[in-house]
Amino acid sequence: MPIDAAKAISAEPRSTALTWGHKDIQLYHLGIGAGIPATDPEELRYTLESRLHVLPSFATVAGGGMAVAGGMSAPGIDVDLAAVLHGGQTVELHRPIPVSGEATQTSKVAAVYDKGKAAVIVLRSDVADADGPLWTCDTRIFARGEGGFGGERGPSDRVEPPAREPDHTVERAIREDQALLYRLSGDWNPLHADPAFAEVAGFERPILHGLCSYGMVLKAVVDTVLDGDVARVRSYTTRFAGVVYPGETLRVRMWRDEGRVHVTATAVERDDAPVLTDTVVDHV
């Protein structure tokens, strides 16, 4: 059944209760590689409850919710899940995320774009607690074979970094067990754990979650450019350009701009194969 963009966009928003505590945040931080070295004061702010700061990318797993799954169940969206890819992600912070919280997430399909051979579904989730708005997430879902329904093509997401050498380049090793740990934050897709499932999906072995690499890259930017201050992040957007495997190494390149950091992430062991591109961190 083709996508009914008008029906999807006009559907009533869905509300979900979210709760989280310091254990959820510590588990998430460990899942994106925090805690090495374990006694480093700069790492303890991610791992020790008495010093805990919340990396803004935690918004993508708060409450154990999976935005991609929610978008696929929206009215007017009837697509083959095997053809679905997580195309991109944006988190906009309205204020720092508290260490523990109870909030309401309100989600709806904000846009459906017709790319010809594929469709791009933009799922927007607004999260607020008793004190007001906390964050807004835009999840871009790429559905292969679902285009051609006569909709708008939509804007280009391309963001080129400056045409000069990066100001910072860091490498972050991915542990062999990192996908197994990260999935405990709520993404149970066997693609990230089961070799047989990964082979059927066309991969030589289980791949790392895109949102895990997303968190790893933001942590690298916060630690390298923003003096470890998570509260300076205002928004973080990326396009998932390729995969990285547990056991490989992410190379993160950063270009400073006024109030903005342009970023790329590549897989070192595969000749700098693209992992994240069109990536920007806006900050104060």
Side-chain angles (χ1 to χ4, degrees), residues 174 203-208 241-251 265-275:
I174 302 166
F203 298 100
E204 61 185 69
R205 60 187 187 276
I207 64 174
L208 190 69
V243 303
V244 64
Y245 294 94
E248 291 189 329
T249 306
L250 277 178
R251 179 173 287 141
T266 59
V268 171
E269 288 82 359
R270 284 177 288 116
D271 298 321
D272 271 344
V275 178

Side-chain angles (χ1 to χ4, degrees), residues 28-29 32 46 54-62 89-91 93 97 135 137 182 211-219 222 230 233 236:
Y28 172 74
H29 287 163
I32 61 168
Y46 297 110
V54 185
L55 198 68
S57 51
F58 173 75
T60 61
V61 302
Q89 185 72 43
T90 297
V91 172
L93 278 298
I97 300 174
W135 67 78
C137 280
Y182 180 85
L211 285 178
C212 183
S213 57
Y214 180 78
M216 290 182 70
V217 168
L218 181 60
K219 182 179 182 298
V222 169
V230 298
V233 177
Y236 174 37

Side-chain angles (χ1 to χ4, degrees), residues 74-158:
I77 305 295
D78 185 8
V79 302
D80 180 3
L81 291 178
V84 167
L85 298 171
H86 194 163
Q89 185 72 43
T90 297
V91 172
E92 179 184 0
L93 278 298
H94 306 302
R95 54 190 166 92
I97 300 174
V99 171
S100 62
E102 296 182 359
T104 299
Q105 175 177 275
T106 304
S107 302
K108 71 183 305 301
V109 175
V112 182
Y113 298 125
D114 187 347
K115 299 295 187 180
K117 293 183 179 180
V120 173
I121 303 159
V122 181
L123 182 69
R124 179 160 298 158
S125 299
D126 291 297
V127 174
D129 64 8
D131 295 324
L134 277 169
W135 67 78
T136 298
C137 280
D138 275 3
T139 302
R140 293 179 294 283
I141 302 164
F142 189 85
R144 295 170 292 182
E146 299 293 343
F149 54 86
E152 295 182 15
R153 183 166 181 83
S156 172
D157 295 328
R158 300 310 300 268

